[in-house]
Structure formats: structure tokens, C-alpha cells
Amino acid sequence: SQTIHQWPATLVQPVGSPLSLECTVEGTSNPNLYWYRQAAGRGLQLLFYSIGIGQISSEVPQNLSASRPQDRQFILSSKKLLLSDSGFYLCAWSSWGGMNTEAFFGQGTRLTVV
Amino acid sequence: AQSVSQHNHHVILSEAASLELGCNYSYGGTVNLFWYVQYPGQHLQLLLKYFSGDPLVKGIKGFEAEFIKSKFSFNLRKPSVQWSDTAEYFCAVNARNAGNMLTFGGGTRLMVKP
């Protein structure tokens, strides 16, 4: 069966420090991968999605970037964190190519920038 | 681009009360529709989904949702809520030609009082 791993679960980082959140999927190949941010009272905002290795689309201009170095690995990064980057970050995957599939979510990372 | 609106941000109900959470989307093409739920301290999980066919779909834990195409709506219902339904509920849409990219509503926080 397919599983999605996301780490770390919580992270406290100072302003100006770098960020790297990792997400890996097991049990499937060539998935669509997504990074969402959940801010209090604002629902889930799609940050990045990827349909293949090295193929990243950004939905919102921001201080973050994403990379997909391997088929089932998706990394969210920042060179210098801002206070406004605090939030709950969720990685998700869905099957590639099928039109009728849902997304499956990781456990999330609670990021607090201090 | 598609958008999703959830008009109720916070809902408080007593046990055994009936529930209806509104969800409206804007997109002119064919869509898939989802309701996700996030229980306190848990990851986001799928409650129910609509792809085609019967517009009244039944999900887990006694939830159902009705797709009304003419109203661009996909409201979530439950005849009798339980304390364990306390959670945040998210409506989501993906356009059939958008690579399974989900657009989420802002979420509705439901609190059920015992």
C-alpha cells in the first residue's frame, strides 16, 4: 500500500535561518506531489505541485522554493525564513494521469519562526 | 482558475443536531469534488468524493454530500452529529484538466457539544 512520510513533525527556526522539509512517498511511482500551507482561519493554500522529477509549478510567489530530486521525494526549502512563513505545512500525493483520484496527505510539519 | 468558498467558518452544535456545511465553487468546466476532515491532532483524511454519477454521495461516518451542478454547490450533511465529529472540514475541487491539483476552501471548524 502507499504511504507518505513527512518530517520533521515540528520545527522552531529563527528568522533568517534556512529551511528544508522533506516528503517521501512509498508504494507508487510517478505520483503528483504537492506542498500546501495551512494557516489559521485560511484553509489550505497550494504552494507548489510537481508532475515529475524536476518539474515544479509555483502557485504563490513567496519566500519558499520546492525541488523534486527523485520520483518520490519532494522538498520544501527556504534560504532565509521570515516570521510570516510560520504555519502548518502539508505534503500530499495523487496518482498521475488518472482524472478521478483524490490526494493523500502526510502528517504535516508545524513550523514556528521566531 | 477555480476557487472554493465555505461560508461557515465556525459551527457549534449540540449532539444529535443536524449538520449542513456549505461549499460553493467557481469553475466552468468538469470538476471532481471532495470533502476532507481533520480531527484534532490528526492528519487530513478523505471523507467523501464525487466524480460522476449519482449526485448524492455517501461517505464515512454517516456523512453525505449532494452535488448540485446548477448551483455549483457540494454541501456536506449529517442527520445527527456526535461529539466525535468535532473537527475541521475542508471542501476541495479539482478541475479534470488540472493535473489533479486540488483547490481547497477556507475550512469550517465544527464543535459538537456533548
Side-chain angles (χ1 to χ4, degrees):
Chain A
S1 63
Q2 302 90 356
T3 55
I4 178 168
H5 303 281
Q6 187 182 338
W7 67 93
T10 59
L11 191 59
V12 180
Q13 291 283 96
V15 168
S17 64
L19 172 74
S20 181
L21 302 182
E22 190 161 343
C23 172
T24 59
V25 180
E26 296 176 358
T28 187
S29 57
N30 200 23
N32 291 337
L33 296 171
Y34 312 86
W35 277 110
Y36 287 88
R37 177 166 56 199
Q38 185 179 7
R42 296 183 60 188
L44 285 103
Q45 180 186 40
L46 179 64
L47 302 176
F48 301 96
Y49 72 95
S50 171
I51 61 172
I53 296 174
Q55 300 179 66
I56 311 292
S57 295
S58 173
E59 289 297 301
V60 182
Q62 61 218 323
N63 185 41
L64 302 168
S65 62
S67 61
R68 186 169 177 174
Q70 299 180 44
D71 181 44
R72 291 168 289 177
Q73 185 185 28
F74 204 26
I75 298 172
L76 183 69
S77 304
S78 173
K79 292 182 180 177
K80 289 185 178 181
L81 283 168
L82 306 172
L83 285 173
S84 57
D85 292 323
S86 292
F88 191 58
Y89 291 83
L90 287 160
C91 181
W93 74 273
S94 67
S95 296
W96 184 88
M99 292 186 296
N100 296 337
T101 61
E102 65 263 33
F104 299 90
F105 287 82
Q107 296 276 13
T109 297
R110 173 82 54 196
L111 171 66
T112 303
V113 182
V114 295
Chain B
Q2 61 263 35
S3 66
V4 181
S5 297
Q6 290 180 244
H7 309 295
N8 312 103
H9 298 295
H10 290 90
V11 174
I12 301 174
L13 295 173
S14 298
E15 276 196 314
S18 64
L19 170 72
E20 181 159 3
L21 301 182
C23 172
N24 288 89
Y25 68 93
S26 66
Y27 182 72
T30 304
V31 294
N32 297 324
L33 299 155
F34 308 84
W35 275 97
Y36 281 84
V37 61
Q38 188 172 31
Y39 297 102
Q42 296 188 27
H43 66 276
L44 208 64
Q45 55 189 288
L46 184 69
L47 198 56
L48 48 77
K49 60 190 178 187
Y50 171 81
F51 292 150
S52 64
D54 189 345
L56 183 63
V57 292
K58 296 190 184 298
I60 60 172
K61 303 185 181 185
F63 286 90
E64 64 179 30
E66 185 174 13
F67 171 47
I68 303 180
K69 190 175 181 180
S70 60
K71 294 185 178 180
F72 297 89
S73 70
F74 190 55
N75 291 355
L76 181 71
R77 300 193 292 249
K78 186 171 183 179
S80 175
V81 295
Q82 300 172 316
W83 175 78
S84 58
D85 294 324
T86 294
E88 189 159 16
Y89 294 81
F90 295 92
C91 182
V93 166
N94 76 347
R96 293 281 179 89
N97 61 349
N100 296 329
M101 184 177 67
L102 283 171
T103 300
F104 281 85
T108 298
R109 237 177 242 281
L110 171 66
M111 179 182 293
V112 181
K113 298 189 291 186

